[in-house]
Amino acid sequence: MISQPDQSLTLRGPSSVVSARTSSRPHASSRSKRYNRSHAGGSSYAPQNEFPVFSHSGDVEIFIRAGGKENRYLLHKHTLTRCSGFFEASTSQEWSKASVLPLPEPPSRELTRIGEESAGSSGNESGRPRANSPVPRKRWRYELDPGSGGDDIPMLVQKEANSSSSSNSTQPNSLFGGGSATANTPAMRKATGHSHTHSTSSFFRSVANLSLAPTKGNQDLPLSQADADLLRDYDNLFRIFYNYSPVLDSINIADAYVQCKSLLTLADQYDALAVVGPRVDHHLLQFQSRLWKQIAKYPVSYLRLGYLSRSKVIFQEALIHVVGQWPAGERSIRQSFPDIVLDIIEDKVEELEETVSRIESRLFRLNLTNSRGERITPGTSYLDWLAVSLFRQWLADNTSPAPMPAPTSGRGHSSRDGGTSSRAAAVVASTSTPPNLASLGRTYRTLGSATGANYLGHDECKRFLKLTPELYSRDNLRRFEKRIDELKSAARDIVRPLMGSGLELELERGAAMPGAAGAGGPTAPIAPSGMTSYLTCVRVMERDLPWAIED
């Protein structure tokens, strides 16, 4: 009996025909024809066209090396130029160092003959131009230059993008791994028309790529904190360019602040704050109450972060703290902020000082009246006048700067009247010194407290009356304390406009008082006692933001 050869092997048609036949079978699966085989270095390897390596469409190649580790990016020029002024300028006609990529090799003879036959069979499409005809493409190449000195800032430098660097661009040490679309060099693509030779060359390419693969020791090399931060910042920068969320700490706000500050500094270096800033703002605002507490601790630091990220909420919150504690931190602010921010701070400080001055003048004019509605004088009611005098003395002591120490002059400079001129000079120096807003804030916070028990209490009133023995009695002490309480109540109403707050920190815990009017507006919230010791009634409007003026 003569065995017949298997017709399914000898008469097997093209792959498309075979797939059509198998798909028509009722229970056949396409996965049954796929076998486990390695694509490393083989001609069937299909690289991905996605972030961070757009193998098919990317035209800007960027290498970030730090601490023996390298990240490779193949991105798009139109995306980088739209997000960064640095890339827009460096890829322009004046500064560009782009090179033209070599055209892809023509297809083999077999593919050409098949293409001609298919074109001949469809006569109506033979005269149509080919849409996928090769067009010369440009490619830019950037490498991170760490600088020559320890104080130099690492910066991307444009290099000549030659064909060898672009064709053999597989970087074993890349954080994202994988090769590029041009892993097969022309020397490896010598088609002989024999499948045996092709499979042999593919086998040797796989062995060569395996020999070039990084060892485990190279992958596990420890990175310093500075190198790890540098790689993270550049990766976050490019992730934001492609609308990916940056990898930032979402648990520890202190670490998140350091990472956001470093990322904003890098974005400022490449003129990309307009794109990176909103991402940083969105990430930090997720901390809510923890963020407000951190801003209260470090207002100057967060003022700069809010300015760089163009965060309206963070900038407003930090600005209110800075103005309320002015001139604390003035030196560092003048050294690290642009003039436009300094002008805003000075305007708000001047606005707050004017409001405080009006309130202070009303407090010093505060007086009591008798039963007939007349103002208290020493002649009408001496005890009540003493209560007014004590209140004004306390107000003057707590709203004036500390007296200057008396100058230690020699004998030759002593005056005839026993040093009266020296004391007068000390008084003039004390009155000419502008008051500190931080100390004034503590005074007005005390005046605006709900109970008023923190100043001019029972013991203080008792000691004051004992200075005049003929007036001290239990009834006079009770009457004296009652008149002091009336002054406290009137002062509380006067300073109410200064008790308003624009802080998110206090708005979360404070209660809004409908009848509060003045600088804080008709519905200004009242800051709870002990939240802050300085004034936070400053209002920051849209017109006060520095980037609104720049735009």
Side-chain angles (χ1 to χ4, degrees):
M1 185 176 191
I2 301 173
S3 60
Q4 298 295 329
D6 190 358
Q7 298 297 329
S8 62
L9 297 178
T10 58
L11 300 179
R12 186 173 183 177
S15 60
S16 60
V17 179
V18 174
S19 61
R21 292 173 181 174
T22 55
S23 60
S24 62
R25 297 178 183 178
H27 299 287
S29 175
S30 60
R31 294 183 179 270
S32 62
K33 296 300 180 181
R34 300 181 63 180
Y35 304 96
N36 295 328
R37 53 185 177 182
S38 174
H39 297 282
S43 58
S44 60
Y45 170 67
Q48 300 296 323
N49 190 54
E50 59 185 13
F51 183 85
V53 178
F54 293 89
S55 304
H56 301 309
S57 58
D59 52 5
V60 179
E61 196 171 20
I62 302 174
F63 294 92
I64 309 296
R65 300 184 182 94
K69 197 167 187 177
E70 179 180 279
N71 290 356
R72 174 177 175 265
Y73 301 86
L74 187 57
L75 308 177
H76 304 96
K77 171 180 175 292
H78 65 86
T79 301
L80 296 177
T81 55
R82 189 175 66 251
C83 298
S84 169
F86 167 82
F87 287 103
E88 182 180 6
S90 60
T91 57
S92 62
Q93 189 68 25
E94 183 179 1
W95 303 100
S96 176
K97 294 182 180 180
S99 63
V100 180
L101 294 179
L103 296 177
E105 291 187 354
S108 60
R109 296 179 180 179
E110 290 79 1
L111 296 178
T112 304
R113 186 171 65 252
I114 294 175
E116 291 175 354
E117 292 177 356
S118 61
S121 61
S122 57
N124 56 347
E125 296 180 0
S126 59
R128 197 176 290 179
R130 301 177 63 183
N132 56 350
S133 58
V135 178
R137 292 177 55 194
K138 290 184 178 181
R139 175 167 291 188
W140 289 262
R141 179 186 176 92
Y142 291 87
E143 294 181 3
L144 185 64
D145 184 8
S148 57
D151 297 335
D152 292 345
I153 299 176
M155 189 74 182
L156 286 176
V157 178
Q158 190 173 177
K159 301 288 186 179
E160 293 289 344
N162 49 29
S163 59
S164 61
S165 64
S166 61
S167 62
N168 189 14
S169 56
T170 302
Q171 300 296 333
N173 293 331
S174 175
L175 176 64
F176 305 95
S180 65
T182 58
N184 299 322
T185 59
M188 293 184 180
R189 287 197 298 260
K190 295 181 179 178
T192 60
H194 300 283
S195 61
H196 175 72
T197 307
H198 176 75
S199 61
T200 305
S201 62
S202 300
F203 170 75
F204 282 112
R205 282 199 303 271
S206 301
V207 174
N209 288 337
L210 290 176
S211 63
L212 294 176
T215 61
K216 187 175 181 180
N218 292 334
Q219 290 180 347
D220 296 340
L221 286 177
L223 284 175
S224 64
Q225 188 63 39
D227 293 335
D229 293 343
L230 184 65
L231 293 175
R232 182 201 65 229
D233 291 341
Y234 273 94
D235 186 61
N236 283 333
L237 180 68
F238 297 139
R239 287 176 66 88
I240 293 175
F241 286 175
Y242 280 85
N243 203 25
Y244 287 97
S245 298
V247 181
L248 300 171
D249 197 311
S250 59
I251 299 176
N252 191 335
I253 188 173
D255 294 340
Y257 165 78
V258 174
Q259 295 173 4
C260 291
K261 178 183 177 183
S262 179
L263 179 58
L264 288 173
T265 303
L266 185 66
D268 189 19
Q269 182 177 336
Y270 291 101
D271 193 14
L273 287 176
V275 179
V276 178
R279 284 286 189 172
V280 172
D281 181 31
H282 173 74
H283 180 77
L284 289 177
L285 289 180
Q286 296 176 357
F287 289 95
Q288 291 296 317
S289 60
R290 286 184 290 171
L291 176 62
W292 316 140
K293 294 177 182 178
Q294 286 293 108
I295 295 177
K297 290 182 180 179
Y298 313 103
V300 178
S301 300
Y302 277 92
L303 182 66
R304 177 168 179 79
L305 188 142
Y307 170 72
L308 291 178
S309 63
R310 298 191 176 189
S311 172
K312 173 185 175 183
V313 178
I314 296 178
F315 185 82
Q316 287 178 344
E317 190 84 359
L319 181 62
I320 293 174
H321 286 289
V322 169
V323 173
Q325 301 178 70
W326 192 261
E330 180 181 3
R331 179 177 301 178
S332 61
I333 290 175
R334 294 191 179 277
Q335 293 176 354
S336 58
F337 284 89
D339 293 338
I340 186 173
V341 179
L342 294 177
D343 293 340
I344 295 174
I345 295 175
E346 291 174 352
D347 290 343
K348 292 302 175 181
V349 169
E350 183 178 357
E351 177 183 332
L352 181 58
E353 288 177 348
E354 291 178 356
T355 305
V356 169
S357 179
R358 291 195 300 268
I359 299 298
E360 184 177 349
S361 62
R362 292 181 58 189
L363 287 173
F364 276 104
R365 292 196 302 268
L366 186 63
N367 205 339
L368 295 174
T369 58
N370 54 19
S371 58
R372 297 186 298 273
E374 300 173 349
R375 296 170 62 92
I376 295 299
T377 61
T380 56
S381 179
Y382 185 72
L383 185 63
D384 294 345
W385 179 79
L386 286 179
V388 175
S389 301
L390 178 61
F391 177 82
R392 291 177 178 175
Q393 182 64 39
W394 180 91
L395 185 63
D397 292 341
N398 288 271
T399 56
S400 302
M404 299 291 293
T408 57
S409 58
R411 294 182 179 179
H413 298 281
S414 59
S415 59
R416 295 181 179 179
D417 55 355
T420 305
S421 60
S422 300
R423 289 193 297 270
V427 171
V428 173
S430 176
T431 55
S432 61
T433 304
N436 192 343
L437 281 179
S439 61
L440 287 177
R442 287 189 292 270
T443 300
Y444 291 110
R445 288 285 191 185
T446 303
L447 291 171
S449 60
T451 60
N454 296 328
Y455 72 106
L456 297 181
H458 172 76
D459 295 338
E460 193 170 356
C461 293
K462 185 177 181 179
R463 286 194 301 268
F464 179 76
L465 276 184
K466 282 186 176 181
L467 297 177
T468 311
E470 60 273 14
L471 290 178
Y472 179 74
S473 66
R474 184 171 299 178
D475 292 339
N476 286 343
L477 178 60
R478 189 180 297 110
R479 179 184 174 185
F480 185 84
E481 291 178 348
K482 182 179 178 181
R483 302 299 271 176
I484 289 291
D485 290 339
E486 293 177 5
L487 290 172
K488 288 181 179 181
S489 178
R492 189 181 304 115
D493 294 336
I494 293 176
V495 302
R496 192 177 299 277
L498 297 177
M499 297 298 102
S501 177
L503 289 177
E504 296 290 340
L505 174 66
E506 295 180 342
L507 290 177
E508 286 187 352
R509 301 183 182 181
M513 180 170 291
T523 59
I526 303 303
S529 177
M531 185 69 64
T532 55
S533 60
Y534 44 86
L535 299 177
T536 57
C537 58
V538 177
R539 296 295 175 183
V540 183
M541 304 299 180
E542 292 283 347
R543 61 178 181 270
D544 299 323
L545 300 178
W547 50 84
I549 301 177
E550 292 178 355
D551 294 339

